[in-house]
């Protein structure tokens, strides 16, 4: 009886901890998305220039490193908002580019935003409803993202539109899978740090939105 009671108590504690991580992740994710949107809107209003690929990569990986180093302390929240704010700033000039260069630019942006939200909610709901853990996807997703990242750098450096399109389509698939994987990890206790989980989901949403924006711009853009 004692062993059975101990097992039930352990399972209850695990479920409670998992629910806490999931709740805190979604709460922080909502706040960071809002903060990032405000920063992006401010950058648009000020017509701020894009920092360029080098500064963007240095800033992203530098702040990502700061998040990793501070994720178990109060400074972790500061690092998260610094990272998501910086990423929001990089989106502002891109949105201005679409709105100014396409007569239906606002429609394209809204469709990309709606598509991102729909995919995120759909993939999250699938992960939650399935009750499965998708840890077997980890290696495939890691390699896929690494390959897509290298391909995206090549496409930008050598100005290859067709490769950029292929990378965007690949990123949509990879980010959709990453949402399922990360949500499954949270639910099943594979991810216990809500700051790390938040950053992963935020970056996923960021890449998903930009990829959809590029695809829609190519297929729907009216100059």
């Amino acid at each position: 009886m004692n062993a059975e009671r101990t097992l039930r108590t352990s399972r209850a504690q695990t479920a409670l901890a998992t629910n806490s991580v999931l709740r805190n992740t979604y709460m922080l994710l909502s706040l960071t998305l809002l903060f990032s949107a405000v920063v992006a809107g401010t950058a648009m209003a000020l017509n701020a220039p894009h920092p360029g690929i080098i500064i963007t990569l240095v800033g992203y990986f530098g702040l990502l490193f700061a998040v990793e180093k501070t994720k178990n302390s109060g400074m972790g929240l500061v690092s998260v908002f610094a990272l998501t704010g910086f990423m929001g700033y990089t989106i502002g000039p891109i949105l201005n580019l679409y709105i100014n260069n396409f007569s239906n630019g606002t429609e394209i942006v809204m469709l990309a935003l709606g598509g991102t939200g729909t995919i995120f909610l759909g993939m999250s709901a699938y992960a939650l409803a399935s009750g499965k853990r998708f840890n077997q996807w980890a290696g495939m997703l890691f390699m896929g993202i690494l390959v897509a990242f290298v391909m995206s750098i090549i496409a930008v450096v050598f100005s290859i539109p067709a490769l950029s399109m292929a990378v965007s389509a690949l990123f949509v698939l990879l980010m959709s899978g990453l949402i399922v994987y990360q949500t499954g990890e949270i639910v099943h206790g594979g991810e216990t740090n809500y700051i790390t989980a938040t950053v992963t989901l935020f970056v996923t949403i960021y890449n998903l939105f930009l990829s959809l924006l590029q695809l829609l711009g190519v297929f729907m853009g009216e100059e």
Side-chain angles (χ1 to χ4, degrees), residues 24-26 28-30 32 80 84 186 193-203:
N24 290 337
T25 297
Y26 281 170
L28 183 57
L29 180 63
S30 299
T32 54
V80 168
T84 55
I186 296 171
N193 188 295
Y194 73 95
I195 287 181
T196 302
T198 297
V199 169
T200 300
L201 290 176
F202 182 93
V203 172

Side-chain angles (χ1 to χ4, degrees), residues 57-68:
L57 290 176
V58 171
Y60 168 68
F61 284 109
L63 290 169
L64 196 62
F65 177 78
V67 170
E68 181 64 25

Side-chain angles (χ1 to χ4, degrees), residues 111-125 176 179 208 212:
L111 282 174
L113 186 62
T116 301
T118 300
I119 291 173
F120 177 77
L121 292 175
M123 294 298 99
S124 297
S176 298
I179 291 168
L208 181 58
L212 287 175

Side-chain angles (χ1 to χ4, degrees), residues 160-183:
I160 309 175
L163 183 57
S164 294
M165 286 288 298
V167 170
S168 293
L170 182 58
F171 260 119
V172 170
L173 294 176
L174 288 170
M175 295 304 104
S176 298
L178 187 55
I179 291 168
V180 174
Y181 165 77
Q182 185 62 62
T183 304

Side-chain angles (χ1 to χ4, degrees), residues 28-38 84 120 202 205-206:
L28 183 57
L29 180 63
S30 299
L31 292 174
T32 54
L33 287 171
L34 178 60
F35 178 64
S36 183
V38 170
T84 55
F120 177 77
F202 182 93
I205 292 171
Y206 176 91

Side-chain angles (χ1 to χ4, degrees), residues 61 138-154 167 170-171 174-175 178:
F61 284 109
M140 178 184 64
L141 288 171
F142 175 78
M143 288 303 301
I145 291 170
L146 181 61
V147 170
F149 177 74
V150 173
M151 288 171 61
S152 68
I153 297 297
I154 294 173
V167 170
L170 182 58
F171 260 119
L174 288 170
M175 295 304 104
L178 187 55

Side-chain angles (χ1 to χ4, degrees), residues 29 70 75 90 92 97 100 106 114 134 140 159 171 208:
L29 180 63
T70 60
M75 282 300 296
T90 64
L97 182 66
N100 294 331
T106 301
F134 302 88
M140 178 184 64
S159 299
F171 260 119
L208 181 58

